[in-house]
Amino acid sequence: MRVLLAEDDALLASRLQTLLEEAGYVVIHTAEGRDAEYQGQIEDIAAAVVDLGLPGLDGLSVIERWRQAGRDFPVLVLTARARWHDKLAGFDAGADDYLTKPFQPEELLLRLRALIRRSAGHAHPRLQCGPLVLDVNAGRFELDGAPLALSAQEHRILSYFMHHPDTVLSRSRLGENVYEDGFDPDSNTLDVLIGRIRRKLGSELIHTHRGQGFRLSATP
């Protein structure tokens, strides 16, 4: 799942990028406002984390331009401005949530997960597909009530499936949303990983649609 991080403080951006990647997200980082606007226009992202004090184009203008263009992914604003009218300006521009610096990075992660969950139509922090359960806040899978051990890439793939149940996902869409360094459509890596996940699930939860992609569903 891809997240855009628009933050010009190099130290903070590095910490947040590490935190998000460890939580299973693929992070697109930019430190400049005009590039942030561009990335938000062209990339398939689940959410954006935007600092209001970006150089080149401020965060409020970036968000406004996204919304004017019909980009409706959730946006979490970061700012050192704690006054209510500044927060109101952020919400008016189209932001969905607000964090005032300094903040605990773990709080950002929890709020981001909640925004993504709600935007996908999942109000509850536990997603379920048959015997498979994902605790979104904890980032843990259970199968038939027991913890499910997954590699980092397997976790990303299965998390993306859980957020898009009963949907046929193409290989390119899966690859773009789970690989940090780009996706080679001619590689069989994705097929190998999905094969491993299938064996760990021990049930027919992931269905192949020849020529189209894969679908996670508790029903055939």
Side-chain angles (χ1 to χ4, degrees), residues 1-4 20-21 23-28 42-47 71 73 116 152-161 163-164 168-184 190 193:
M1 193 171 297
R2 294 156 73 86
V3 170
L4 175 62
L20 292 169
E21 289 175 347
Y25 296 103
V26 175
V27 179
I28 304 167
I42 66 167
E43 294 287 352
D44 178 16
I45 58 176
R71 301 292 282 160
F73 50 79
I116 293 173
Q153 286 187 323
E154 291 167 355
H155 191 284
R156 286 177 180 151
I157 292 171
L158 195 52
S159 293
Y160 195 73
F161 271 121
H163 281 88
H164 301 82
V168 178
L169 302 175
S170 67
R171 295 178 77 258
S172 60
R173 182 175 174 184
L174 281 166
E176 289 170 357
N177 282 277
V178 300
Y179 285 97
E180 295 178 15
D181 300 319
F183 173 62
D184 179 2
L190 183 62
L193 289 168

Side-chain angles (χ1 to χ4, degrees), residues 123-144:
H124 198 276
R126 287 171 64 87
L127 307 182
Q128 185 165 1
C129 179
L132 181 66
V133 174
L134 170 61
D135 184 325
V136 178
N137 288 341
R140 289 194 298 263
F141 278 97
E142 292 180 358
L143 182 66
D144 289 319

Side-chain angles (χ1 to χ4, degrees), residues 1-208:
M1 193 171 297
R2 294 156 73 86
V3 170
L4 175 62
L5 173 62
E7 171 58 65
D8 64 325
D9 182 322
L11 181 58
L12 177 59
S14 177
R15 289 174 177 171
L16 293 179
Q17 182 164 355
T18 298
L19 177 75
L20 292 169
E21 289 175 347
E22 289 177 348
Y25 296 103
V26 175
V27 179
I28 304 167
H29 172 244
T30 180
E32 199 273 335
R34 297 190 184 280
D35 186 54
E37 185 210 348
Y38 175 72
Q39 297 295 336
Q41 300 282 15
I42 66 167
E43 294 287 352
D44 178 16
I45 58 176
V49 179
V50 179
D51 177 41
L52 292 188
L54 293 172
L57 185 68
D58 66 272
L60 287 179
S61 298
V62 170
I63 298 167
E64 286 175 342
R65 293 186 183 188
W66 285 340
R67 297 314 191 212
Q68 289 168 2
R71 301 292 282 160
D72 60 357
F73 50 79
V75 176
L76 174 61
V77 162
L78 304 181
T79 183
R81 308 169 190 171
R83 294 174 298 182
W84 168 243
H85 75 268
D86 290 322
K87 294 183 179 181
L88 184 60
F91 289 124
D92 285 344
D96 298 276
D97 201 356
Y98 207 104
L99 265 180
T100 303
K101 299 177 183 179
F103 56 86
Q104 292 296 321
E106 292 76 13
E107 182 180 1
L108 178 143
L109 186 58
L110 287 173
R111 292 196 183 201
L112 186 66
R113 282 171 169 164
L115 287 176
I116 293 173
R117 188 172 67 245
R118 290 197 295 270
S119 71
H122 306 301
H124 198 276
R126 287 171 64 87
L127 307 182
Q128 185 165 1
C129 179
L132 181 66
V133 174
L134 170 61
D135 184 325
V136 178
N137 288 341
R140 289 194 298 263
F141 278 97
E142 292 180 358
L143 182 66
D144 289 319
L148 181 63
L150 298 166
S151 70
Q153 286 187 323
E154 291 167 355
H155 191 284
R156 286 177 180 151
I157 292 171
L158 195 52
S159 293
Y160 195 73
F161 271 121
M162 288 292 279
H163 281 88
H164 301 82
D166 298 304
T167 302
V168 178
L169 302 175
S170 67
R171 295 178 77 258
S172 60
R173 182 175 174 184
L174 281 166
E176 289 170 357
N177 282 277
V178 300
Y179 285 97
E180 295 178 15
D181 300 319
F183 173 62
D184 179 2
D186 296 323
S187 170
N188 70 339
T189 303
L190 183 62
D191 303 270
V192 171
L193 289 168
I194 289 178
R196 290 178 183 171
I197 294 170
R198 277 178 164 149
R199 288 192 291 273
K200 290 182 178 182
L201 295 180
S203 60
E204 293 298 323
L205 289 178
I206 298 180
H207 309 272
T208 300

